[in-house]
Amino acid sequence: MKEFRLPDPGEGLVEADIVRWVVSEGDEVKVNDILVEIETAKSIVELPSPWAGRIARLIADEGATVEVGAPIVLIDDGVDAPAEPTTLVVQTQPVVETQPVFEPEPVVELVETQPVVAEASTGSASESEAFLVGYGVKSAPLARRPRKNAAGIGKPIGPVTDQVQDSYAADQPVSRPIDQSTTTGPISAEASGEPLPRPGQAPRSASASKRALAKPPVRRLARDLGLDLDAVDATGAHGTITADDVIAAAVAARGGETRLSRRASERVPLKGVRREMARTMAESFKVPTATVMMQTDVTASMQLVERLKNRREFAGLRVSPLLIFAKAACLAIARNPDLNSTLDMGASEIVRNENVNLGIAAATPRGLMVPNIKGANRMNLLQLAEALHNMVQVAKTGKVPTEDLTKGTFTITNVGVFGVDGGTPILNLGESAIMCLGTIARRPWVVGKGADEQIVIRSVCTLSLTFDHRLVDGELASRFLSDVAAILADPGLAMMF
Amino acid sequence: MSDPVVDDFVQLLTPEGERVQHPDFAFGGSDEQVAGYLRDMVLARRFDNEATALQRKGELGLWPPALGQEAAQVGSVNATRLPDHVFPSYREHAVALHLGVDAVEMLTTFRGTAMVPWKSAERGLHIYSFVIGTQTLHAVGYAMGMQRDGLVGNPDPDANGAAIVYFGDGATSQGDVNEAFIFAASYTAPVVFFCQNNQYAISEPIALQSKIPLYRRASGFGFPGIRVDGNDVLAVQAVTSWALQRARQGEGPTLIEAYTYRMGAHTTSDDPTKYRSRDETDRWRARDPISRAQAYLLASGAIDQAWLDSLEAESEQLAVRVREGCVALREPQLEEFFEHVVIDPPEILLEQRDDYLEYEAGFDHPSVPDAEAAHSQSQAQGAF
């Protein structure tokens, strides 16, 4: 006689409903003949017979809910002695008794009608359960075997080890089927020591272990308004802080001032080119500098620009007054080479640079950059125009190659394009001078001498030169600026340089 | 789901069991070989059904049935030979049986008594991979290793090898599989991607996962893809032979989409009636891989009813052996957990093992003598 117990047909299921018995009592079945359809939480499945034999008894009724591991059918396979009384199973599975799976009366009948049971012969059935794959087919609750001698095992056991051992106390298995739970009993314990103080109103900051709930834009608003979110009363759903809460708190904090600027200030990360500017300018400002200025009539240079624009050689090139200024600066540097020098304080030497690597301060999409034209002093006007043209094209994209940004020796900054008259720039780090061009404007200008003196309208520009006063003195700076101005006023004089 | 119209696949044997010609592919084997395939398929199906039943009896934790996919597996694995290396997913039971894995041993993983019962290197068969698609990366890596070992593109064709990796239609949605495609293409790895499109990723129909036929994805990765009637063992064998030959010769990867159908559940935990219609299942039943091979062989006279009866008897023997062997599978011993991890275990690991064994031995075993007696008796009876 074999007892077929409900297996777990899914993964980790604990019970199933008997949908339909395919066999009836007395039927002969072969191995793998379908016995019954059951329905689990996942699916309807058919259970095949593990044995050949005659259906002795259908234990579970159609429609009943059966625990995994409970017997559902007895099959007389004619081989083994009859199974041990099912009463024994019921006794070892008290939980089954609460389910209407067994009829008590037939159980009794079974005990009476089935002859008893050689202990050894039941072994094959119950032993096979030991092999079952971890589902609830075991007939008795799993319990950890008692230790032979808890203190005698392994390493010496100290107080800490004892606690750890206790936490693994083996009266309950570490792993057990999900339906095996232990009822917790009442705990009798007495208070010890002074009672804790009654809870009062905890300070908000002290309770800040739980972060205030607010959406990112609200957090941003609070930050912009300078508010600590933990100090804001929440009225939103689920205790969240809304934008209105933040504004209300801000109004309260400012004594009812309702004209709040939601963005008192905006904080933008300082990075990239702008961060580099901050660093180099701060560093450069450690150098003692002075500035000289000069207004000059650049009308002739403007006429020269117009003539050059119409020349075939300059077709397609960007010809601007800056070209003439740059060329003039190169020519003036040739006469005043200290302006194209670097001070090496560590070696107490002046490094006089052979080439003029002419930097042009450029406002690019990424911020201020100073690309330089290598060897600008060796270029003729056309070459210089081409170099400037290319530089402007590259600078517009903001993708200036690193090599263009290093080893500059002299810089021109043309703030005049923004309409200002002039300024006192800060040295490009490591250089000795920087020339600043103001805007070129039509202005009244005194020409002629003596009785011929008259006011005419000329194109006038303010030049300034900021220089490293450790290396360059006022006289040299003034001479240089005068040379530049002379060329701009009368470009023909360049032939003298 | 409507029945997809499939007319662009390689078919050499119709569902009625008639041989048909294909312009590019032909089956070069004899009817005796086809009879061998039929035997492989019948035994694999019987084994598979028995394992499914064992799960229903509570003897296996889980079983992924291969019912309906026998031709795809038997046809392709019959195109392999050493030093080819085969990378299965978890459903390639017919592949494993053909490569000599014992049917009872196959169950150990699903009964939880051992991890993988075969040694990969000996069988040319990698371990079952339960993580979806991960084995495609293993296969490509192995194939790249074969390149470096000089097992590809030799003048002597017998000296060459390739990797073949099995995966399903659902796996093609995994990143791993797509990464494997890219690596295989970039390195011209000798690997055959054998996708058994059984139409469902558990309950998700393939049409929801791919807007184009799966085999056409290969062109985007830069290697050929081909669709074959996965229920036609001859076509599968012919196409797989061609793809493996390409790989062995150093011509790179191929994607084979074996168009087939999982007649059973995804696994025994799943109820396919909830996501597909009986009509659909019936249509596919008419394309059964075994019945068409059997019809062809009977018509050609290569086999007769006696042959089939003998095969049925062999299947029955296999089923009995699997049933009885399953429940008699040896329970793993505690100390074995420490084996097969490191070749030369470090001292600390040995100490841990000894400590743990000593700890376990420290418990009373009141029930052990009885249980042992009962156990040996049940083994002696050989029955459950």
Side-chain angles (χ1 to χ4, degrees), chain A residues 9-89:
Chain A
E11 293 170 86
L13 299 172
V14 297
E15 62 181 21
D17 296 341
I18 305 293
V19 176
R20 184 173 69 91
W21 280 106
V22 179
V23 294
S24 309
E25 289 177 12
D27 285 357
E28 293 289 333
V29 292
K30 300 192 296 295
V31 172
N32 288 353
D33 280 356
I34 300 302
L35 299 174
V36 63
E37 283 180 10
I38 61 168
E39 179 166 20
T40 70
K42 285 182 171 180
S43 55
I44 293 183
V45 296
E46 298 171 326
L47 298 184
S49 173
W51 310 288
R54 187 181 54 83
I55 303 298
R57 174 158 194 82
L58 304 180
I59 299 173
D61 290 334
E62 287 183 3
T65 301
V66 185
E67 304 251 342
V68 166
I72 56 173
V73 59
L74 282 176
I75 299 176
D76 182 0
D77 60 351
V79 176
D80 279 3
E84 65 188 272
T86 47
T87 45
L88 203 145
V89 176

Side-chain angles (χ1 to χ4, degrees), chain A residues 201-440:
Chain A
Q201 187 65 37
R204 284 186 179 278
S205 57
S207 65
S209 62
K210 194 176 164 194
R211 195 180 178 212
L213 296 174
K215 291 174 182 172
V218 178
R219 292 184 184 282
R220 173 63 185 270
L221 175 62
R223 197 175 67 190
D224 289 348
L225 293 175
L227 280 178
D228 180 2
L229 269 183
D230 288 327
V232 177
D233 289 324
T235 66
H238 311 296
T240 53
I241 296 168
T242 66
D244 288 343
D245 295 341
V246 171
I247 290 170
V251 168
R254 293 170 200 202
E257 171 58 65
T258 54
R259 292 177 57 200
L260 293 174
S261 165
R262 285 187 55 154
R263 292 199 175 184
S265 62
E266 187 184 9
R267 300 188 75 87
V268 177
L270 182 64
K271 51 187 182 185
V273 171
R274 303 196 62 168
R275 178 178 174 155
E276 185 64 10
M277 179 176 79
R279 188 187 72 79
T280 56
M281 289 299 101
E283 188 66 22
S284 178
F285 204 67
K286 295 175 184 171
V287 174
T289 58
T291 302
V292 291
M293 297 182 186
M294 185 173 185
Q295 267 196 339
T296 187
D297 171 9
V298 296
T299 310
S301 289
M302 299 304 283
Q303 289 163 352
L304 176 60
V305 167
E306 290 307 311
R307 288 205 302 276
L308 292 176
K309 279 181 180 171
N310 292 327
R311 287 198 63 85
R312 191 164 46 83
E313 295 91 331
F314 289 85
L317 291 179
R318 178 188 171 90
V319 181
S320 71
L322 180 63
L323 173 62
I324 312 302
F325 283 91
K327 184 66 186 173
C330 288
L331 293 169
I333 284 170
R335 300 221 303 200
N336 309 285
D338 274 356
L339 285 160
N340 195 46
S341 300
T342 309
L343 194 61
D344 185 344
M345 289 297 279
S348 296
E349 286 175 346
I350 297 166
V351 183
R352 199 166 277 173
N353 295 306
E354 183 84 1
N355 284 336
V356 176
N357 295 338
L358 182 67
I360 307 289
T364 76
R366 293 168 58 200
L368 171 66
M369 299 176 106
V370 188
N372 61 68
I373 298 169
K374 298 284 191 297
N377 55 327
R378 297 166 184 269
M379 294 179 174
N380 64 31
L381 199 62
L382 180 58
Q383 289 167 334
L384 192 58
E386 286 169 345
L388 271 172
H389 180 86
N390 290 337
M391 175 191 280
V392 170
Q393 299 303 104
V394 172
K396 275 181 181 170
T397 68
K399 294 174 184 167
V400 182
T402 308
E403 62 172 41
D404 285 0
L405 294 171
T406 55
K407 297 185 180 167
T409 61
F410 183 90
T411 295
I412 296 175
T413 176
N414 184 15
V415 296
V417 296
F418 305 116
V420 299
D421 285 335
T424 59
I426 296 175
L427 291 176
N428 202 20
L429 190 61
E431 298 175 9
S432 293
I434 180 168
M435 185 169 76
C436 176
L437 313 181
T439 193
I440 298 167

